[in-house]
Amino acid sequence: EIGKDRYSLKIKGLTPILFILLIILFVTGHADFLEGPLTSFMHMSEDWIGGTNAVGWSIVILTFVVRLILLPMMIHQQRGATIQQEKMRLLQPQMSKIQEAQKTAQTQEEKMLASQAMMAVYRENGVSMLGGMNFATLIIQWPVFMGLYAAIKNSHEIAHATFFGINLGSQSPVLAIATAVAYGVQAYLSLIGIPAEQKKQMQSMMLMMPIMMLIMTWVTNGGIALYFFVGALVMIIQTLIIIVWRPKLRAQVAETFVVKDVVDDALAGRLQSEPTGPFAEAMKAAQAQQQGTERKDITGNVSESDTDSSKSNGRNAGKQKR
């Protein structure tokens, strides 16, 4: 478990770095730097595989290669999300109290405490509000997506290639709908074994993904739609693996996760929110330094005042002796 936690921290630490690199690529106009290699790969596959569907098969192969490289990260992400869901399931009795408090809240203070209590319970029990989600795998795929789009658009031969009668260089409603359906199936499978209360919270988010993919693949070319369609099929396989794995993960969480019953303190406002993260740590250090400086200034002023007072008393005493 320690090794898995370290792996999770590495991925979380990698995500902002990848995001910054992606922004730099977009700003400098090099987001499609993979266009050349992907064009060469598709031409090579066309010569190797042969036939009218060769370019399409090269995109399928490319998708599997990318997903295979990302497979450990994606399985780890889904595993982490499943563990978070199981922890939330064990915290459901406390969530029920909070929901009841939200319904019966009368004053503005009670409403505020009830709304903050859920985050407090999750925080005290070490449960992430994002459910173990990270965006590293999505960021890594963006250069592939941009390079593939540019390769299909700028290569005359590839732009006019077909895959089982579907033109890869123009819009493909068939592949767009197939992609949306595949993501819908994956979303449905991901809800299997989830408690009813969590399903209600997750259904709207799960519904958004197929809609987003439908729009995205509808407005782009068939080659990109094929890439995401095959990727969705791989995600379905990953989700099935997690479904088979879920009983073992549930037993693991039940054995290792110690529930802290803090809902009453949270609703009473006795839990103080303690910000975490690098920014919060930097703010704490700055505040501590400032407080140290202020104490030093106060001590210095007091010492100087005492010295002046002593000198004054000494002069007065000397005059009295005369």
Side-chain angles (χ1 to χ4, degrees):
E1 285 301 313
I2 294 176
K4 290 174 181 176
D5 290 341
R6 286 177 180 173
Y7 182 69
S8 179
L9 289 174
K10 286 180 180 178
I11 294 177
K12 289 180 179 179
L14 186 64
T15 301
I17 298 174
L18 291 174
F19 183 73
I20 292 172
L21 290 175
L22 184 63
I23 294 297
I24 293 173
L25 288 173
F26 271 104
V27 171
T28 58
H30 293 91
D32 57 353
F33 70 96
L34 290 176
E35 176 188 353
L38 292 179
T39 302
S40 300
F41 173 76
M42 283 188 281
H43 282 309
M44 183 179 64
S45 299
E46 188 175 16
D47 295 334
W48 176 49
I49 299 173
T52 57
N53 299 320
V55 173
W57 283 120
S58 71
I59 294 175
V60 172
I61 294 170
L62 172 67
T63 307
F64 274 109
V65 169
V66 172
R67 293 288 177 163
L68 186 63
I69 294 172
L70 296 177
L71 184 62
M73 292 178 65
M74 299 188 77
I75 289 291
H76 180 82
Q77 178 178 324
Q78 286 189 292
R79 175 187 175 277
T82 303
I83 289 176
Q84 293 295 321
Q85 291 165 4
E86 291 302 321
K87 288 181 178 180
M88 291 178 184
R89 183 178 65 85
L90 294 176
L91 293 175
Q92 191 55 45
Q94 297 187 60
M95 293 299 106
S96 298
K97 279 188 177 181
I98 293 172
Q99 291 167 0
E100 187 63 29
Q102 288 174 334
K103 293 178 182 178
T104 57
Q106 296 180 351
T107 66
Q108 190 63 32
E109 183 181 0
E110 288 176 344
K111 292 178 181 178
M112 184 178 297
L113 285 173
S115 64
Q116 294 175 348
M118 180 176 69
M119 291 185 290
V121 171
Y122 282 163
R123 183 185 67 249
E124 293 298 319
N125 284 277
V127 176
S128 171
M129 294 292 289
L130 293 176
M133 185 181 297
N134 71 73
F135 301 97
T137 54
L138 183 61
I139 295 172
I140 291 173
Q141 290 184 78
W142 263 101
V144 178
F145 162 72
M146 295 297 294
L148 183 60
Y149 180 84
I152 295 172
K153 179 182 177 182
N154 297 328
S155 174
H156 178 78
E157 185 179 352
I158 296 174
H160 289 82
T162 60
F163 187 65
F164 293 100
I166 298 174
N167 192 326
L168 298 177
S170 58
Q171 294 177 339
S172 175
V174 173
L175 277 176
I177 294 172
T179 302
V181 170
Y183 271 90
V185 171
Q186 189 272 332
Y188 172 78
L189 291 174
S190 65
L191 294 175
I192 293 177
I194 304 297
E197 191 63 34
Q198 288 187 33
K199 280 185 180 180
K200 292 180 182 178
Q201 298 174 2
M202 296 173 63
Q203 277 174 347
S204 58
M205 183 177 67
M206 290 301 179
L207 183 62
M208 285 300 297
M209 183 57 73
I211 295 174
M212 287 174 57
M213 296 310 300
L214 175 63
I215 297 172
M216 185 174 180
T217 53
W218 190 284
V219 300
T220 189
N221 56 53
I224 298 298
L226 179 61
Y227 174 83
F228 281 108
F229 173 67
V230 178
L233 297 181
V234 176
M235 287 182 64
I236 289 174
I237 296 173
Q238 293 173 357
T239 305
L240 291 173
I241 293 173
I242 291 296
I243 290 174
V244 175
W245 203 359
R246 189 181 294 276
K248 182 179 178 180
L249 293 176
R250 180 171 291 179
Q252 175 187 325
V253 172
E255 183 180 349
T256 59
F257 181 53
V258 179
V259 176
K260 294 181 181 179
D261 191 353
V262 295
V263 64
D264 293 332
D265 288 336
L267 290 172
R270 291 192 290 268
L271 288 180
Q272 296 297 323
S273 177
E274 192 70 24
T276 59
F279 181 75
E281 293 297 328
M283 289 295 294
K284 286 181 185 178
Q287 290 174 357
Q289 185 177 3
Q290 183 178 2
Q291 289 173 358
T293 304
E294 289 175 354
R295 283 196 294 269
K296 185 177 179 181
D297 291 342
I298 293 172
T299 305
N301 290 335
V302 171
S303 300
E304 186 178 350
S305 176
D306 291 343
T307 302
D308 292 342
S309 178
S310 298
K311 290 179 179 179
S312 176
N313 290 336
R315 287 193 296 269
N316 292 335
K319 290 178 180 179
Q320 288 174 358
K321 283 180 182 179
R322 290 189 187 97

